[in-house]
Amino acid sequence: GGGGVLGGAVHLVAGWDIGFVEVGIGGGVTTLSRRSEGVTQREAGLLAFQLRFGELDDFHMGGRLLLAFPADDAIDYTMDVRAAMPLEAFELVAHGVYGMSGVALGEIGFVYWPDGPARRGLGVAVLAGGSAVTYQPVCRFGLVCAETVYAGPHVGVGLHVRP
């Protein structure tokens, strides 16, 4: 067997941006699907809380906490953090995601904004790094067996929309 991670995100967050600090709340979906030993599991964050330090036109860091309520009064969470350094029509980006069910991604790369230094409209992201999946199978008599971790290279592409 082996492991792998596939993910994507679409969010709409509204809030207050006072230049250096942005606080927001919203919704959307962040999906991390992991496959380990032939088992596929999926987690999705639905309710988003967002925080950013630094101005968009300068170095800035941001984070997002996503909550989901799958069943049995449980709460799943996904943490998403990002640091970006704008350079002309590009943003250099470091990005990390951790999911409660045992998915972790770390990547660096860039976002290219065809409209130039304003970095508005549609941007194309290319990122590379590593991903890890933690898998704890249930064995005989309902007991949890030893934890297994799969790690490997990660490549991501995506579209960023900034009005």
Side-chain angles (χ1 to χ4, degrees):
V5 177
L6 180 65
V10 176
H11 297 105
L12 182 60
V13 178
W16 298 268
D17 188 347
I18 54 175
F20 189 78
V21 176
E22 176 193 19
V23 178
I25 186 171
V29 177
T30 288
T31 301
L32 295 174
S33 298
R34 64 182 193 155
R35 184 169 179 81
S36 303
E37 292 293 321
V39 177
T40 299
Q41 292 180 296
R42 176 168 293 178
E43 63 179 47
L46 303 173
L47 179 63
F49 299 92
Q50 181 170 300
L51 180 65
R52 186 197 79 227
F53 292 104
E55 297 186 15
L56 281 175
D57 294 335
D58 203 348
F59 174 78
H60 58 276
M61 297 183 67
R64 188 173 291 153
L65 175 66
L66 298 122
L67 301 177
F69 310 92
D72 301 327
D73 295 326
I75 297 178
D76 285 348
Y77 63 85
T78 304
M79 292 181 291
D80 187 314
V81 295
R82 184 176 185 268
M85 171 59 92
L87 298 171
E88 296 300 323
F90 289 88
E91 276 182 314
L92 301 181
V93 176
H95 180 232
V97 183
Y98 174 76
M100 183 176 180
S101 69
V103 178
L105 303 176
E107 52 193 8
I108 58 172
F110 65 88
V111 181
Y112 170 66
W113 298 94
D115 285 346
R119 290 176 292 282
R120 297 284 186 257
L122 188 65
V124 179
V126 178
L127 302 136
S131 59
V133 176
T134 302
Y135 177 56
Q136 263 187 323
V138 175
C139 296
R140 293 185 192 186
F141 312 115
L143 299 175
V144 176
C145 289
E147 175 179 286
T148 307
V149 177
Y150 300 94
H154 171 81
V155 176
V157 293
L159 296 176
H160 291 229
V161 179
R162 187 178 289 160

